[in-house]
Amino acid sequence: MKVTFYSNFLTHHQLPFCLEMKKKLGDNFKFVSTVKIFQWRLDLGFENLDDQYDFVIKAYENETEYHKAKQLALDSDVVIIGSTTDDLIVERLKQDKITFRYRARVFIFPDGFWNTVLDIKKLKLFYDRHIKFRKNKNLYLLCANAYGPNDFNFLHLYKNKIYRWGYFLKTNIYDINHLIQQKENNKKIEIIWVARFIKCKHPEIVIKLAKNLKKQNYHFVIKMLGNGKLEEKIKRKIKKEHLEDVIEVVGHVPSDKVKDYMEKANIFIGTSDSQEGWGAVINESMNAGCAIVANEQMGSVPILIKHRKNGMIYHKYSQLENNVKELIKSPDLRKKLSINAYETITNEWTSQIAVENLMNLFTAIINEKECEIKEGPASKANNYIRKK
């Protein structure tokens, strides 16, 4: 089976999946990179992975590579489309060959509602990608967001052809009981927050939480990893509220070093809103055995976390605070959630499992049979009903 994955450029979030596909299919797997890595990512310390792997076709580099990328769209048994210019794959879509779009959701508007719905270019792009070929029998959707099925079903797109997907990061294997014991040796409960300092990540919630916990005499420290345009404002707020003793703004940390902080942390908090398409920090912190409290609006949270079994989900601020306080007071609950979080990632949400399930799905479609995967990656995705 020949499979080609089209996206902007290869990222560290996609790499484990691609390496597993390469291991499974050899030269029959290719990743087509359509644009050069953005300079701002290089400035943040991310590597240019396009130059490091032989399965990458750099369509942007020259005419030869571009035509190779275009031919792969016609020759491959299955194509996965993340981000790409449609001229590379339009002939494949016209021929109705097995094709998967890879998308989070529709109804999030990072540029604002009116700036999106009144932007003719954006509307045309959405039409070309999701509506123009909607009657194709062999056009499917890999959906990397718990709420994506709600959006696409509302628009009557990809009916009964939406499959659960997401990010599959490098899985680190630990002696989980030993790791948790090390965390319990912290002098204070260590809480970690990892995100860019931007509006949709809500770093201000961390300040509110720290202020209230300190007022109630809880013993803790919060480490904030990341940078962004709100960083200096948050630092000033921390100083104004006299929270320097309980909040440490670590700043930018290279992606391969974030796990070192997570391995030491007792609790991870995820405060992003619905603009968070997936939220790979949830995967990472679960893998590192953190007890998680995360906003239900984050795209990965309803998929990966079962409340009070392998993490805690909140819907409003008071629940976030109460959940964190309960975790601070209860080492047994922290241990239970941490172990179950680790086991969820290592047993249910690895790149190996994702590839195995996806290949089973591809085979079922090619043979015109019903896929038997009921849970996890590549299982059928239904509307998510939010809890009250």
Side-chain angles (χ1 to χ4, degrees):
M1 187 186 300
K2 184 184 286 188
V3 179
T4 303
F5 182 9
Y6 291 78
S7 192
N8 279 339
F9 44 82
L10 185 59
T11 71
H12 68 288
H13 287 156
Q14 298 161 330
L15 182 59
F17 167 75
C18 290
L19 290 174
E20 200 61 34
M21 288 292 283
K22 172 70 174 178
K23 190 186 299 183
K24 185 83 171 177
L25 297 176
D27 288 340
N28 282 330
F29 172 72
K30 299 295 181 186
F31 179 95
V32 174
S33 181
T34 59
V35 298
K36 292 183 73 170
I37 185 171
F38 306 135
Q39 184 59 45
W40 65 264
R41 289 183 67 88
L42 295 174
D43 294 341
L44 286 174
F46 290 103
E47 294 182 83
N48 181 2
L49 298 176
D50 284 358
D51 293 336
Q52 298 183 28
Y53 297 95
D54 62 1
F55 55 78
V56 177
I57 305 295
K58 291 175 279 189
Y60 56 82
E61 193 163 73
N62 53 52
E63 283 295 314
T64 300
E65 292 289 286
Y66 177 83
H67 286 295
K68 193 183 295 184
K70 200 166 185 178
Q71 192 60 42
L72 279 168
L74 291 174
D75 294 344
S76 299
D77 297 296
V78 179
V79 159
I80 303 169
I81 306 169
S83 298
T84 185
T85 52
D86 277 4
D87 60 308
L88 285 173
I89 48 84
V90 68
E91 288 302 319
R92 180 182 186 86
L93 293 169
K94 287 178 180 178
Q95 294 180 34
D96 198 10
K97 294 187 174 184
I98 297 172
T99 306
F100 282 79
R101 291 283 188 183
Y102 180 13
R103 179 72 185 253
R105 59 178 307 188
V106 181
F107 299 131
I108 54 175
F109 307 102
D111 299 321
F113 177 79
W114 292 113
N115 287 337
T116 301
V117 299
L118 297 180
D119 189 319
I120 299 301
K121 287 184 178 180
K122 290 177 182 177
L123 291 178
K124 184 180 185 307
L125 184 64
F126 185 82
Y127 174 83
D128 288 342
R129 289 184 173 178
H130 301 289
I131 299 176
K132 187 174 183 179
F133 296 98
R134 66 190 180 280
K135 294 182 180 179
N136 281 19
K137 173 188 174 185
N138 287 311
L139 183 59
Y140 302 85
L141 180 69
L142 292 175
C143 196
N145 186 292
Y147 305 97
N150 302 50
D151 294 357
F152 285 101
N153 284 326
F154 178 80
L155 295 171
H156 301 284
L157 297 172
Y158 305 101
K159 186 176 181 181
N160 296 319
K161 295 190 294 181
I162 303 175
Y163 294 88
R164 189 172 289 114
W165 204 241
Y167 286 114
F168 308 93
L169 310 184
K170 178 184 177 183
T171 305
N172 298 303
I173 302 301
Y174 303 99
D175 178 335
I176 188 59
N177 287 295
H178 178 68
L179 180 63
I180 292 171
Q181 185 55 55
Q182 286 183 313
K183 294 171 185 279
E184 291 303 314
N185 290 334
N186 292 336
K187 292 181 180 179
K188 295 181 179 180
I189 292 296
E190 193 166 302
I191 302 170
I192 190 170
W193 179 91
V194 183
R196 284 176 292 153
F197 283 74
I198 57 177
K199 185 177 179 181
C200 69
K201 309 289 185 176
H202 295 285
E204 76 283 354
I205 291 177
V206 180
I207 295 177
K208 183 177 181 179
L209 176 65
K211 183 179 179 180
N212 290 344
L213 292 178
K214 182 178 179 179
K215 191 184 298 183
Q216 297 170 58
N217 295 316
Y218 284 90
H219 297 285
F220 70 97
V221 62
I222 299 178
K223 294 187 177 182
M224 301 182 74
L225 277 61
N227 59 8
K229 60 184 180 182
L230 295 180
E231 182 179 357
E232 293 306 315
K233 181 179 180 180
I234 291 297
K235 286 180 178 177
R236 290 195 297 271
K237 185 74 171 174
I238 291 170
K239 189 173 182 179
K240 181 181 178 182
E241 299 288 351
H242 306 293
L243 297 172
E244 298 98 323
D245 58 329
V246 293
I247 300 180
E248 177 188 351
V249 178
V250 178
H252 170 69
V253 175
S255 58
D256 61 337
K257 300 297 182 184
V258 171
K259 74 176 183 63
D260 297 339
Y261 287 85
M262 290 181 170
E263 288 168 359
K264 296 174 184 176
N266 303 93
I267 299 169
F268 173 90
I269 53 174
T271 58
S272 300
D273 60 30
S274 60
Q275 299 288 330
E276 186 74 80
W278 178 257
V281 288
I282 300 297
N283 301 59
E284 292 173 303
S285 55
M286 291 176 78
N287 186 198
C290 296
I292 293 173
V293 184
N295 190 351
E296 185 187 35
Q297 294 182 47
M298 297 175 70
S300 63
V301 167
I303 293 174
L304 295 179
I305 296 180
K306 294 179 173 59
H307 186 57
R308 302 190 71 85
K309 292 183 179 179
N310 64 354
M312 302 180 91
I313 299 174
Y314 76 89
H315 320 291
K316 54 187 179 181
Y317 171 79
S318 61
Q319 294 172 327
L320 165 65
E321 183 178 320
N322 289 336
N323 288 339
V324 170
K325 288 192 290 189
E326 184 178 1
L327 285 172
I328 290 174
K329 291 186 289 188
S330 176
D332 289 341
L333 180 59
R334 289 199 304 271
K335 182 175 182 179
K336 170 193 164 185
L337 298 186
S338 297
I339 290 174
N340 289 343
Y342 172 78
E343 291 182 346
T344 296
I345 292 301
T346 56
N347 295 333
E348 300 174 23
W349 207 261
T350 66
S351 56
Q352 292 90 340
I353 292 168
V355 167
E356 182 180 341
N357 287 7
L358 194 62
M359 293 302 294
N360 287 337
L361 175 59
F362 291 165
T363 301
I365 290 172
I366 289 169
N367 294 325
E368 298 185 345
K369 293 183 177 180
E370 187 69 27
C371 185
E372 296 181 357
I373 300 165
K374 303 300 181 187
E375 296 290 338
S379 59
K380 271 278 181 71
N382 299 313
N383 280 10
Y384 178 71
I385 308 301
R386 289 188 64 183
K387 313 284 190 304
K388 297 294 184 183

